[in-house]
Amino acid sequence: MTVISEAVIAVLLLLGAFLTLVAAFGLIRLPDVYTRNHAASKSATLGVMCILLATFVYFFAKDGFFSSRLLLGIAFFFITAPVAGHLISRAAYNSGVKMWDQSVRDDLKTKQAQKKN
Amino acid sequence: MKTNDVIFQTVAKVVFFMIIFFAIHLFFAGHYYPGGGFVGGLLTAGAIVLLLLAFDIKTVQHGFPLDFKWLIGIGLLFSAGTATGSLIFNVPFFTHAYNYFHLPLFGKTSLHTAMLFDLGVYFVVIGVTMTIIQTIGESE
């Protein structure tokens, strides 16, 4: 392995672990379901994708093994994780989970009120 | 309240094909790499369950117009058939055979009768999983 590939692997791994840690702190610190979901679905997605990419670069640089499963995993995670976050958020909103008391806008509520009139 | 499922349904249509192709890859890679009939069948059933979640049970039955209980029977027939087929050639029960063939597109390929047995396992796993889930889903 060259120094460049080692550096790339190290940076990607540390960045991925850091972003996942940020997602975990967001889950603890943020006030309501929607902001927590925002932290978890964005940050954890990018973190896991960075770690998978680091794994891909590692095996490609070390053994010359082109792992198409890892690339497929990256694409799969990139497509499905935000949709999972969207579905959880929507289920929470539709079952009447309150937003944080300092939130100022609720566009979906005004839109639904317009539709009823 | 009627909910709008357009994001989920669109993503389910795309992801369905990714899961199906990965399941077929796992099924064919089973001889040399981790995978095989069981995991491939479970993953295929999982892809169909994803469609069941995104759409309703009638739409999926329209898309796959087969009774999954028949799939169990066909799979068992494949497995038992490869096992008893060895008796025709006067060798012990469950003896498998393989050879190398030169296929036009794939080049030198080893074809093994254990793959037909695995195909039976694949069908039985899909059939059992889908029968369980559809039976539970239909009962009110």
Side-chain angles (χ1 to χ4, degrees):
Chain A
M1 284 202 292
T2 59
V3 179
I4 297 176
S5 62
E6 277 175 356
V8 167
I9 292 164
V11 166
L12 280 175
L13 266 184
L14 288 175
L15 188 69
F18 173 73
L19 283 171
T20 324
L21 188 71
V22 166
F25 275 120
L27 277 185
I28 301 170
R29 298 278 299 167
L30 289 172
D32 69 345
V33 159
Y34 308 103
T35 48
R36 279 177 187 166
N37 200 342
H38 158 82
S41 61
K42 276 193 177 63
S43 189
T45 307
L46 193 60
V48 172
M49 280 166 66
C50 280
I51 293 174
L52 283 176
L53 198 62
T55 320
F56 174 78
V57 174
Y58 175 78
F59 281 110
F60 190 65
K62 184 166 169 278
D63 303 330
F65 174 61
F66 188 88
S67 173
S68 50
R69 294 178 181 205
L70 282 171
L71 290 185
L72 189 72
I74 292 171
F76 191 83
F77 210 76
F78 184 64
I79 295 174
T80 52
V83 177
H86 158 76
L87 286 174
I88 292 171
S89 257
R90 198 186 61 166
Y93 191 91
N94 285 345
S95 55
V97 176
K98 288 273 180 295
M99 282 161 68
W100 186 31
D101 49 5
Q102 290 181 32
S103 326
V104 285
R105 276 178 72 169
D106 191 349
D107 282 344
L108 190 55
K109 197 174 175 183
T110 50
K111 194 76 190 168
Q112 280 174 349
Q114 274 176 11
K115 258 188 192 170
K116 268 177 198 164
N117 293 332
Chain B
M1 192 178 84
K2 191 173 175 297
T3 52
N4 188 359
D5 272 340
V6 69
I7 295 177
F8 186 30
Q9 286 180 348
T10 312
V11 167
K13 279 180 213 160
V14 177
V15 163
F16 171 75
F17 287 102
M18 291 172 78
I19 303 176
I20 283 282
F21 284 132
F22 188 54
I24 293 171
H25 162 74
L26 276 183
F27 171 70
F28 280 112
H31 198 76
Y32 292 109
Y33 299 102
F38 188 78
V39 193
L42 269 186
L43 216 55
T44 311
I48 303 174
V49 169
L50 178 71
L51 285 188
L52 276 175
L53 286 174
F55 302 91
D56 53 8
I57 206 163
K58 279 224 176 69
T59 318
V60 177
Q61 270 175 350
H62 186 72
F64 296 93
L66 74 160
D67 191 353
F68 285 103
K69 288 189 278 301
W70 275 88
L71 216 54
I72 304 174
I74 293 169
L76 286 176
L77 200 69
F78 261 103
S79 297
T82 40
T84 49
S86 63
L87 293 178
I88 301 173
F89 300 100
N90 212 10
V91 284
F93 190 62
F94 254 121
T95 307
H96 286 295
Y98 72 97
N99 209 341
Y100 291 96
F101 294 93
H102 284 277
L103 299 179
L105 201 61
F106 299 101
K108 188 185 175 193
T109 316
S110 106
L111 296 181
H112 202 296
T113 50
M115 184 256 170
L116 291 174
F117 182 78
D118 226 22
L119 192 69
V121 175
Y122 182 78
F123 282 157
V124 169
V125 169
I126 297 177
V128 168
T129 317
M130 291 316 296
T131 308
I132 291 172
I133 288 169
Q134 281 191 337
T135 317
I136 296 173
E138 274 169 347
S139 67
E140 287 294 317

